[in-house]
Coordinates of all heavy atoms in Angstrom, one line a residue:
D15 N -7.3 -81.9 -67.1 CA -7.0 -83.3 -66.9 C -8.2 -84.3 -66.9 O -8.0 -85.5 -66.9 CB -6.2 -83.5 -65.6 CG -4.8 -82.8 -65.7 OD1 -4.3 -82.7 -66.8 OD2 -4.3 -82.4 -64.6
R16 N -9.4 -83.7 -66.9 CA -10.6 -84.6 -66.8 C -11.1 -84.9 -68.2 O -12.2 -85.4 -68.4 CB -11.6 -83.8 -66.0 CG -11.3 -83.7 -64.5 CD -12.4 -83.1 -63.8 NE -12.1 -83.0 -62.3 CZ -13.0 -82.6 -61.4 NH1 -14.2 -82.3 -61.8 NH2 -12.6 -82.6 -60.1
G17 N -10.4 -84.5 -69.2 CA -10.8 -84.9 -70.6 C -11.9 -84.0 -71.1 O -12.7 -84.4 -72.0
G18 N -12.0 -82.7 -70.6 CA -13.0 -81.8 -71.1 C -12.7 -81.4 -72.5 O -11.6 -81.7 -73.1
S19 N -13.7 -80.7 -73.2 CA -13.5 -80.4 -74.6 C -14.0 -79.0 -74.9 O -14.7 -78.4 -74.1 CB -14.2 -81.4 -75.5 OG -15.6 -81.4 -75.2
Q20 N -13.6 -78.5 -76.0 CA -14.0 -77.2 -76.5 C -14.4 -77.3 -78.0 O -13.6 -77.6 -78.8 CB -12.9 -76.2 -76.3 CG -13.3 -74.8 -76.5 CD -14.3 -74.3 -75.4 OE1 -15.4 -74.2 -75.7 NE2 -13.8 -74.1 -74.2
P21 N -15.7 -77.1 -78.3 CA -16.8 -76.8 -77.4 C -17.2 -78.0 -76.5 O -16.8 -79.1 -76.8 CB -18.0 -76.4 -78.3 CG -17.7 -77.2 -79.6 CD -16.2 -77.2 -79.7
P22 N -17.8 -77.7 -75.4 CA -18.2 -78.8 -74.5 C -19.2 -79.8 -75.1 O -20.0 -79.5 -75.9 CB -18.7 -78.1 -73.2 CG -19.2 -76.8 -73.7 CD -18.3 -76.4 -74.9
L23 N -19.2 -81.1 -74.6 CA -20.1 -82.1 -75.1 C -21.5 -81.6 -74.9 O -22.4 -81.9 -75.7 CB -19.9 -83.4 -74.4 CG -18.6 -84.1 -74.7 CD1 -18.5 -85.4 -73.9 CD2 -18.5 -84.5 -76.2
S24 N -21.8 -80.9 -73.8 CA -23.2 -80.5 -73.5 C -23.7 -79.6 -74.7 O -24.9 -79.7 -75.0 CB -23.3 -79.7 -72.2 OG -22.4 -78.6 -72.2
W25 N -22.8 -78.8 -75.3 CA -23.2 -78.0 -76.4 C -23.5 -78.9 -77.7 O -24.5 -78.7 -78.4 CB -22.1 -77.0 -76.8 CG -22.4 -76.1 -78.0 CD1 -23.1 -75.0 -78.0 CD2 -22.0 -76.4 -79.3 NE1 -23.2 -74.5 -79.3 CE2 -22.5 -75.4 -80.1 CE3 -21.2 -77.4 -79.9 CZ2 -22.2 -75.3 -81.5 CZ3 -21.0 -77.4 -81.3 CH2 -21.5 -76.3 -82.0
C26 N -22.7 -79.9 -77.9 CA -22.8 -80.8 -79.0 C -24.2 -81.5 -79.0 O -24.8 -81.8 -80.0 CB -21.7 -81.8 -79.0 SG -20.0 -81.1 -79.1
F27 N -24.6 -81.9 -77.8 CA -25.9 -82.6 -77.6 C -27.1 -81.8 -77.9 O -28.2 -82.4 -78.1 CB -26.0 -83.2 -76.2 CG -24.9 -84.2 -75.8 CD1 -24.4 -84.2 -74.6 CD2 -24.5 -85.1 -76.8 CE1 -23.4 -85.1 -74.2 CE2 -23.5 -86.0 -76.4 CZ -22.9 -86.0 -75.2
T28 N -27.0 -80.5 -78.1 CA -28.1 -79.6 -78.3 C -28.1 -79.0 -79.7 O -28.9 -78.1 -79.9 CB -28.2 -78.5 -77.2 OG1 -27.0 -77.7 -77.3 CG2 -28.3 -79.1 -75.8
L29 N -27.3 -79.5 -80.6 CA -27.3 -78.9 -82.0 C -28.6 -79.1 -82.6 O -29.3 -80.1 -82.6 CB -26.2 -79.6 -82.8 CG -24.8 -79.3 -82.5 CD1 -23.8 -80.2 -83.2 CD2 -24.5 -77.8 -82.8
P30 N -29.1 -78.0 -83.3 CA -30.4 -78.0 -83.9 C -30.5 -78.7 -85.3 O -31.0 -78.1 -86.3 CB -30.8 -76.5 -84.0 CG -29.5 -75.9 -84.2 CD -28.4 -76.7 -83.4
V31 N -30.0 -79.9 -85.4 CA -30.1 -80.6 -86.6 C -30.6 -82.0 -86.3 O -30.5 -82.5 -85.2 CB -28.7 -80.7 -87.4 CG1 -28.2 -79.4 -87.8 CG2 -27.6 -81.4 -86.5
R32 N -31.1 -82.7 -87.3 CA -31.7 -84.0 -87.1 C -30.7 -85.1 -86.7 O -30.9 -85.9 -85.8 CB -32.4 -84.5 -88.4 CG -33.2 -85.8 -88.2 CD -33.8 -86.2 -89.6 NE -34.4 -87.5 -89.5 CZ -34.7 -88.2 -90.5 NH1 -34.4 -87.8 -91.7 NH2 -35.3 -89.4 -90.3
H33 N -29.6 -85.2 -87.4 CA -28.6 -86.2 -87.1 C -27.3 -85.6 -86.6 O -26.8 -84.6 -87.2 CB -28.2 -87.0 -88.4 CG -29.4 -87.6 -89.1 ND1 -30.2 -88.6 -88.5 CD2 -30.0 -87.5 -90.3 CE1 -31.1 -89.0 -89.3 NE2 -31.0 -88.3 -90.4
V34 N -26.8 -86.1 -85.5 CA -25.6 -85.6 -84.9 C -24.7 -86.8 -84.5 O -25.1 -87.8 -84.0 CB -25.8 -84.8 -83.6 CG1 -24.5 -84.3 -83.0 CG2 -26.7 -83.6 -84.0
A35 N -23.4 -86.7 -84.8 CA -22.4 -87.6 -84.4 C -21.2 -86.8 -83.7 O -20.8 -85.8 -84.3 CB -21.8 -88.5 -85.6
V36 N -20.8 -87.3 -82.6 CA -19.8 -86.6 -81.8 C -18.6 -87.5 -81.5 O -18.8 -88.6 -80.9 CB -20.3 -86.0 -80.5 CG1 -19.3 -85.2 -79.8 CG2 -21.6 -85.2 -80.8
K37 N -17.4 -87.1 -81.9 CA -16.2 -87.9 -81.5 C -15.8 -87.5 -80.1 O -15.8 -86.3 -79.7 CB -15.1 -87.6 -82.5 CG -13.7 -88.2 -82.2 CD -12.7 -87.8 -83.1 CE -11.3 -88.3 -82.7 NZ -10.2 -87.9 -83.7
A38 N -15.5 -88.5 -79.3 CA -15.2 -88.3 -77.9 C -14.0 -89.2 -77.5 O -13.8 -90.2 -78.1 CB -16.4 -88.5 -77.0
A39 N -13.4 -88.9 -76.3 CA -12.4 -89.7 -75.8 C -13.0 -91.0 -75.3 O -14.1 -91.0 -74.8 CB -11.7 -89.0 -74.6
P40 N -12.3 -92.1 -75.4 CA -12.9 -93.4 -75.0 C -13.1 -93.5 -73.5 O -13.9 -94.3 -73.1 CB -11.9 -94.4 -75.5 CG -10.6 -93.7 -75.6 CD -11.0 -92.3 -76.0
G41 N -12.4 -92.7 -72.8 CA -12.6 -92.7 -71.3 C -13.7 -91.8 -70.8 O -13.7 -91.5 -69.6
L42 N -14.5 -91.2 -71.7 CA -15.5 -90.3 -71.2 C -16.5 -90.8 -70.2 O -16.7 -92.0 -70.1 CB -16.3 -89.7 -72.4 CG -17.6 -90.5 -72.8 CD1 -18.5 -89.6 -73.7 CD2 -17.2 -91.8 -73.6
D43 N -17.0 -89.9 -69.3 CA -18.0 -90.3 -68.3 C -19.3 -90.6 -69.0 O -19.9 -89.7 -69.6 CB -18.1 -89.2 -67.3 CG -19.1 -89.5 -66.2 OD1 -19.7 -90.6 -66.2 OD2 -19.3 -88.6 -65.4
L44 N -19.7 -91.9 -69.0 CA -20.9 -92.2 -69.7 C -22.2 -91.5 -69.2 O -23.2 -91.4 -69.9 CB -21.1 -93.8 -69.6 CG -20.0 -94.6 -70.2 CD1 -20.3 -96.1 -70.2 CD2 -19.5 -94.2 -71.6

């Protein structure tokens, strides 16, 4: 119910590529 995702956002932030864009729920914890 907390809007978690699979894979988690923390994994998305560490992708080994130069440019990354991540779609997220608008209510995410900033």
Side-chain angles (χ1 to χ4, degrees):
D15 294 332
R16 294 187 177 183
S19 59
Q20 192 63 257
L23 289 177
S24 56
W25 177 85
C26 302
F27 296 142
T28 60
L29 286 171
V31 294
R32 183 184 175 198
H33 301 298
V34 179
V36 184
K37 177 181 172 181
L42 87 160
D43 180 0
L44 303 186

